[in-house]
Amino acid sequence: MESLQDVIHRTWGYDTLRPLQAEAMQAVVDGRDSVVVLPTGGGKSLCFQAPALIMEGTAVVVSPLIALMHDQVDGLVDAGVPAAYVNSTLSPDERRRTANEVRSGRVKLLYLSPERLTTERTLEFLAEVRPSFFAVDEAHCISEWGHDFRPDYRLLSVLKERFPETAVHAYTATATEQVRRDIVRELHLRAPAIHVGSFDRPNLVYRVERRSDRSAQIRAVVERHPDDSGVVYCIRRADVEEVCAQLVEQGHKALPYHAGLADEVRRRNQDAFQRDRAKIIVATVAFGMGIDKSDVRYVVHAGAPKSLESYQQESGRAGRDGLEAECVLFYSDNDFRTWRTLQQDLPPQALAGAMALLQGIEGYCRGVDCRHRALVEYFGQRLAGEKCGACDMCLDEAEFVDDSLQTAQKILSCVVRLRESFGGDYTAQVLVGSKEQRIVEKGHHKLSTFGLLQEHDKRQVRDWIEQLVGQGCLVKGGEYGVLQLTPDGRDVLSGTYSPRLLKAAVRSGRGERGRVRKESKSGKESWEGVDRGLFDALRAWRRTRADERGLPPFIIFGDAVLRDLARYRPSTQEALMQIKGIGQKKRGEYGAELLQAIIAHCRENGLGTDVQEM
Ligand code: ADP
Ligand code: ZN
């Protein structure tokens, strides 16, 4: 029997495994039920695909969406793996043919939707062919606590009843304990091995900015990535239409995606994005699980999402190939109000939960600490090291007010003078010295803190108040958001703790507030030694080949492979074998062409080939 290592090398061209892949595969080979939680891009598919190849029989993979099934099977077949799916897109004839192939033992991986898998007919068929194991992909769909609950997933409890001897393995990127417990319970897993990976995505650069000029701010991100694929998420459909139209007007190839569009239009737009015919998709959260495009280089949120869970999911669609990618969140106070309004009709218990989640994301937006740390800690994990080198805070891009402590003290003492009985708006007005009627009526124009920040704009002061809430110096109480000091707030007043207040977002023409963007470590490394001209040439070649074959380009080769080719510039088959991520079948199929393209480009541009280790 071929070893796992050999099969992975031969088929996928990988020499090393990602964290927990080895452990996850071991559980499959041992036939022990398992739950594997790895972040998006962590490499979950390999955990069941590789063992399926060395085990006897056919592995059955449960997948929630036809689009996902198609991409995975296309990718496998292109790598020379006998894989198939059965779903409504097949004719009865094709279905019969596939069934026969499975019976003959040729198919190593069979993809099915949960509703098809659990029909009596399919169950009987599988009893006959005896699957090597079941792999349940996107397993969080089984939990009401997940963000993609699918009632059909509940039917999967029948697997352990009908196939008590066959192992069931569940895979998800959803981190919460609750979801994990639901998966184990609903699938009736027996003493499963549980592997939970780190939720940090070091290749993603996180940035958060207060929204001032939406169009200009989004444009700035898009123009930092002229030839790359990106996703822009909006809260509402109307925003999708507007942002999309603006991008198109600015000359970018953008398409909209939201639940208000006809199925056909949505499918077409998603397809154009998958196939690199449209570079940008502007979408509501309706655009989600169906995309497994690995080379999304940026995800912009034009408005704050409703929770950090959602943010992790949506931003996580960037950089699945492990290469650097950027996640930018633009928020305004209005976004949080919008979410409160949109969710106000939830039943009381759900409402309380939703409001707590909203506070999580609000804290993230207004926070001034490392974004990677904030995210990972929210999900109950720890981040090693002081500075991540991949967020606006650690890259020192954010500009803080010089005398943050003094400014904060002025604000907090005003809250105290107002007897902790007023909200943010009112407090800001007192601080900037407004002689509004109600202030005069209450005699607050005589307070010592009246007009203490009169040289600043009211919006700016209001913003600092929110930042102090975000940093835990103030809390908002009751229906009217009355400001109250926390113990940390008292430490600020006594000067033993200093918060950091961000400077205002200046409304500049480009919405960039003159910030310097710095490249992250992973960004620098992944481009080191890469000839961009050759990379672009190879990308164009990939696009042509993909079009000919009717496949999304990233299925032929990921960006990581193209960058390595443009870095090491192999000119012989032996040298080509050293490039990670090209398996045997693809080397046979595309190798000669690649070598030709590389040699020609290097000759024309006077570049050396066969670069040794850098
Ligand atoms: P997930 O399903 O966890 O989001 P995927 O299975 O789609 O992640 O894998 C993400 C990317 O990582 C894919 O492009 C895949 O080819 C690549 N990948 C997976 N395992 C490895 C590995 N051991 N070495 C290099 N690349 C890998
Ligand atoms: Zn950081």
Side-chain angles (χ1 to χ4, degrees):
M1 190 172 77
E2 199 178 11
S3 76
L4 259 180
Q5 205 180 347
D6 290 344
V7 97
I8 292 170
H9 180 77
R10 178 172 56 83
T11 311
W12 285 275
Y14 304 145
D15 293 325
T16 52
L17 292 180
R18 298 248 176 97
L20 294 183
Q21 281 183 326
E23 290 84 344
M25 290 188 207
Q26 194 59 48
V28 180
V29 174
D30 292 345
R32 175 177 177 192
D33 290 352
S34 70
V35 180
V36 176
V37 188
L38 283 175
T40 310
K44 288 181 284 296
S45 328
L46 195 71
C47 299
F48 55 85
Q49 290 173 346
L53 296 193
I54 64 162
M55 291 168 75
E56 208 159 312
T58 305
V60 174
V61 184
V62 183
S63 180
L65 293 175
I66 289 181
L68 282 180
M69 266 183 226
H70 286 197
D71 280 348
Q72 290 232 346
V73 170
D74 285 350
L76 285 166
V77 170
D78 205 45
V81 176
Y85 51 77
V86 176
N87 58 39
S88 54
T89 63
L90 297 188
S91 67
D93 243 12
E94 290 170 315
R95 238 172 282 166
R96 221 164 298 128
R97 207 173 320 132
T98 306
N100 282 334
E101 296 231 314
V102 174
R103 270 196 202 93
S104 77
R106 277 195 296 273
V107 175
K108 297 310 290 180
L109 287 138
L110 175 66
Y111 282 72
L112 295 170
S113 65
E115 59 276 23
R116 183 167 296 268
L117 168 55
T118 51
T119 59
E120 192 50 39
R121 246 178 96 181
T122 311
L123 291 169
E124 276 167 22
F125 170 73
L126 291 177
E128 198 187 313
V129 300
R130 307 173 118 246
S132 48
F133 61 85
F134 293 100
V136 181
D137 208 0
E138 311 287 357
H140 59 274
C141 293
I142 210 164
S143 170
E144 275 164 321
W145 296 90
H147 37 85
D148 287 315
F149 175 55
R150 285 171 184 249
D152 285 336
Y153 261 66
R154 288 281 165 90
L155 303 172
L156 295 171
S157 61
V158 75
L159 293 180
K160 276 287 173 190
E161 274 163 41
R162 301 290 286 264
F163 302 91
E165 303 302 321
T166 310
V168 175
H169 306 286
Y171 302 86
T172 179
T174 301
T176 59
E177 180 82 43
Q178 179 79 50
V179 170
R180 216 176 298 151
R181 271 201 300 266
D182 282 0
I183 292 172
V184 173
R185 196 188 52 233
E186 294 294 329
L187 289 174
H188 303 301
L189 301 186
R190 277 191 309 235
I194 294 190
H195 296 296
V196 183
S198 162
F199 276 82
D200 188 37
R201 302 275 312 273
N203 60 314
L204 303 187
V205 177
Y206 296 109
R207 296 189 163 102
V208 181
E209 257 180 61
R210 182 166 271 275
R211 197 166 62 237
S212 51
D213 179 343
R214 183 177 71 184
S215 168
Q217 283 172 302
I218 294 173
R219 180 180 193 168
V221 182
V222 168
E223 293 184 352
R224 283 206 283 281
H225 301 271
D227 297 316
D228 296 334
S229 298
V231 181
V232 180
Y233 278 109
C234 300
I235 301 179
R236 289 186 227 80
R237 293 174 194 178
D239 297 325
V240 168
E241 296 293 346
E242 198 178 307
V243 168
C244 191
Q246 282 162 348
L247 284 168
V248 169
E249 195 173 306
Q250 292 157 4
H252 299 289
K253 275 198 172 161
L255 289 173
Y257 190 103
H258 57 70
L261 296 169
D263 284 354
E264 170 56 23
V265 177
R266 274 203 314 221
R267 207 190 46 70
R268 206 177 335 124
N269 291 357
Q270 169 161 346
D271 199 56
F273 182 64
Q274 287 289 86
R275 285 160 202 255
D276 289 350
R277 291 196 198 106
K279 282 292 175 192
I280 308 166
I281 203 105
V282 186
T284 59
V285 293
F287 185 70
M289 204 158 54
I291 27 162
D292 60 351
K293 188 168 169 49
S294 67
D295 57 357
V296 173
R297 295 267 75 84
Y298 61 94
V299 171
V300 173
H301 279 74
K306 66 175 176 189
S307 67
L308 272 178
E309 278 82 352
S310 311
Y311 189 60
Q312 170 90 349
Q313 282 290 323
E314 289 149 26
S315 64
R317 298 194 169 110
R320 291 181 77 139
D321 51 14
L323 297 175
E324 86 292 345
E326 185 179 7
C327 305
V328 190
L329 197 169
F330 297 115
Y331 77 99
S332 96
D333 304 336
N334 275 332
D335 297 343
F336 307 117
R337 273 197 283 278
T338 302
W339 283 119
R340 277 188 201 102
T341 316
L342 287 175
Q343 300 184 99
Q344 68 189 1
D345 295 330
L346 288 173
Q349 216 190 341
L351 182 67
M355 292 304 116
L357 294 181
L358 198 55
Q359 251 172 24
I361 182 77
E362 200 169 340
Y364 175 80
C365 291
R366 302 192 198 284
V368 289
D369 290 325
C370 173
R371 310 289 181 191
H372 282 266
R373 169 160 305 114
L375 277 167
V376 163
E377 287 185 351
Y378 181 81
F379 292 107
Q381 296 187 335
R382 302 191 66 77
L383 191 74
E386 261 300 298
K387 290 202 161 192
C388 73
C391 78
D392 50 357
M393 292 300 153
C394 297
L395 290 167
D396 291 328
E397 291 175 352
E399 282 185 84
F400 293 100
V401 176
D402 292 332
D403 51 356
S404 285
L405 176 59
Q406 254 185 20
T407 308
Q409 285 174 333
K410 289 179 184 172
I411 295 170
L412 296 177
S413 51
C414 188
V415 172
V416 174
R417 293 274 175 274
L418 290 169
R419 300 180 184 278
E420 301 181 275
S421 316
F422 291 85
D425 277 329
Y426 190 86
T427 308
Q429 294 220 309
V430 173
L431 278 160
V432 299
S434 156
K435 288 250 169 83
E436 215 187 80
Q437 194 184 355
R438 55 181 181 149
I439 290 177
V440 177
E441 273 172 10
K442 290 191 169 69
H444 287 150
H445 62 302
K446 294 194 196 126
L447 290 177
S448 59
T449 51
F450 178 79
L452 265 187
L453 294 172
Q454 61 187 354
E455 71 276 26
H456 297 285
D457 178 57
K458 191 199 135 203
R459 274 180 53 139
Q460 169 68 86
V461 176
R462 184 77 188 79
D463 189 24
W464 284 332
I465 291 174
E466 291 302 334
Q467 290 180 34
L468 288 170
V469 174
Q471 292 177 46
C473 301
L474 288 171
V475 282
K476 290 192 210 170
E479 198 183 330
Y480 302 104
V482 166
L483 296 174
Q484 286 160 334
L485 258 69
T486 62
D488 276 355
R490 294 191 197 289
D491 287 348
V492 173
L493 277 184
S494 63
T496 52
Y497 170 65
S498 185
R500 297 202 291 171
L501 298 179
L502 285 166
K503 274 193 190 161
V506 181
R507 270 183 196 272
S508 70
R510 314 213 65 195
E512 275 281 76
R513 58 155 107 155
R515 273 190 187 187
V516 186
R517 305 273 154 199
K518 305 198 183 112
E519 209 172 352
S520 69
K521 187 159 155 276
S522 96
K524 276 186 208 131
E525 278 171 8
S526 67
W527 280 110
E528 206 162 310
V530 175
D531 181 71
R532 294 240 186 186
L534 180 52
F535 176 77
D536 289 341
L538 293 171
R539 192 146 69 163
W541 167 84
R542 175 178 71 179
R543 166 91 198 270
T544 317
R545 278 309 238 147
D547 279 349
E548 278 165 22
R549 314 207 35 189
L551 291 175
F554 69 90
I555 286 198
I556 301 216
F557 287 122
D559 277 7
V561 171
L562 297 194
R563 288 207 201 165
D564 273 350
L565 287 169
R567 176 183 288 125
Y568 299 111
R569 308 190 279 277
S571 72
T572 62
Q573 285 285 348
E574 293 72 59
L576 190 62
M577 282 178 68
Q578 304 304 313
I579 303 289
K580 264 211 298 196
I582 308 183
Q584 214 171 47
K585 172 152 183 283
K586 293 202 185 186
R587 201 163 57 241
E589 198 159 321
Y590 306 114
E593 263 176 73
L594 281 176
L595 292 176
Q596 230 176 18
I598 292 168
I599 294 168
H601 178 91
C602 291
R603 196 170 293 146
E604 267 168 46
N605 295 279
L607 279 171
T609 54
D610 303 301
V611 178
Q612 296 301 308
E613 273 311 304
M614 322 203 82

